[in-house]
Amino acid sequence: MALIAPSILSADFANLQRDVEMINRSNADLIHVDVMDGRFVPNISFGLPVCEAIARHAAKPLDVHLMIVEPEKYLARFRLAGADRLTIHLEACPNLHRSIQSIRELGAVAGVAVNPHTPVELLIDILPEVDTVLLMSVNPGFGGQQFIENTYSKIARLDAMRREAGLGFTIGVDGGVTAENAGRLAATGADILIAGSFVFNAADPCDMIDHLKILSTAG
Ligand code: DX5
Ligand code: ZN
């Protein structure tokens, strides 16, 4: 069974507390928080004060996905703002090893994310240092995009690398996750499914979270 992480990017920002409380009541495992700076990605979402506001109401761990340049400058502040897990992009970090160490020193779960065009093989030397790898299955920046099919091959290759090295990091998939692909993603090796629009656009988001969980077991 995969962990389900609804992405708050698809919430109603004018009713954030209501939507965070909905996730609290659901069987979701994490709350995925997408921070975008308009530089690493062509969109701006929100930053530290909003993360802090979400944390004030959240009863589940905050999984903060930093889609920003120079994330190392903000790690400590996002940790203080309530991040339990911090994921940074390989493409944004010339000193990735040091930045991952910093996340660990802050006592957060350390994650590295890769964009759709980045081969998972580039991660080989950082894998022993990370707790989780986030595979982008859309180009980061927006919710509601179409899932990129090549992601299955990336999960399978990363899962093989994990087994070969005897490592215990988890594999997350972010973007375009739906009831159509949840089962196959989990069966291929994904441990965490991040879903934004598919959950929040559902008539009953709590039911949809349960549905994704069940599909990820059957897959
Ligand atoms: C994309 C974000 C995702 C996004 C997923 O840049 O990192 O977390 O919220 O949204 P959906 O599930 O709608 O593709
Ligand atoms: Zn994300």
Side-chain angles (χ1 to χ4, degrees):
M1 182 181 285
L3 302 184
I4 306 296
S7 170
I8 209 77
L9 184 66
S10 293
D12 176 355
F13 287 174
N15 286 289
L16 260 185
Q17 180 177 351
R18 182 199 67 191
D19 284 358
V20 170
E21 285 170 354
M22 178 279 290
I23 300 176
N24 289 346
R25 282 193 310 274
S26 79
N27 289 314
D29 299 279
L30 306 166
I31 303 183
H32 188 79
V33 178
D34 286 312
V35 177
M36 304 178 183
D37 66 353
R39 295 187 64 209
F40 182 68
V41 290
N43 195 13
I44 300 172
S45 57
F46 49 75
L48 287 156
V50 173
C51 185
E52 219 170 75
I54 294 169
R56 270 205 301 279
H57 299 286
K60 315 246 171 177
L62 286 198
D63 181 37
V64 176
H65 177 193
L66 295 177
M67 286 164 277
I68 64 177
V69 298
E70 301 182 313
E72 64 281 358
K73 287 189 180 169
Y74 300 96
L75 296 173
R77 276 180 276 174
F78 274 104
R79 178 76 176 124
L80 273 178
D84 299 289
R85 305 162 55 93
L86 280 161
T87 295
I88 55 180
H89 271 261
L90 169 76
E91 300 87 354
C93 295
N95 298 296
L96 181 61
H97 187 278
R98 179 184 292 142
S99 304
I100 290 289
Q101 293 302 121
S102 306
I103 297 175
R104 282 252 169 101
E105 280 160 21
L106 290 166
V109 173
V112 60
V114 288
N115 278 339
H117 72 275
T118 302
V120 290
E121 287 72 17
L122 284 183
L123 292 168
I124 186 125
D125 291 301
I126 199 70
L127 290 180
E129 315 298 329
V130 301
D131 301 301
T132 190
V133 176
L134 186 63
L135 298 178
M136 292 309 301
S137 41
V138 298
N139 287 294
F142 304 92
Q145 300 181 84
Q146 174 94 29
F147 178 81
I148 297 172
E149 295 285 321
N150 179 51
T151 308
Y152 294 116
S153 152
K154 293 178 77 172
I155 299 169
R157 279 145 54 209
L158 186 58
D159 184 42
M161 289 162 74
R162 171 165 67 174
R163 267 184 279 114
E164 231 160 80
L167 294 170
F169 61 84
T170 54
I171 300 176
V173 174
D174 188 8
V177 172
T178 67
E180 290 282 292
N181 54 28
R184 185 170 166 202
L185 287 169
T188 311
D191 309 292
I192 305 171
L193 302 179
I194 291 103
S197 49
F198 193 70
V199 165
F200 281 95
N201 293 345
D204 185 334
C206 283
D207 269 4
M208 191 51 81
I209 290 165
D210 285 342
H211 189 48
L212 287 175
K213 258 194 170 239
I214 291 162
L215 286 169
S216 80
T217 314

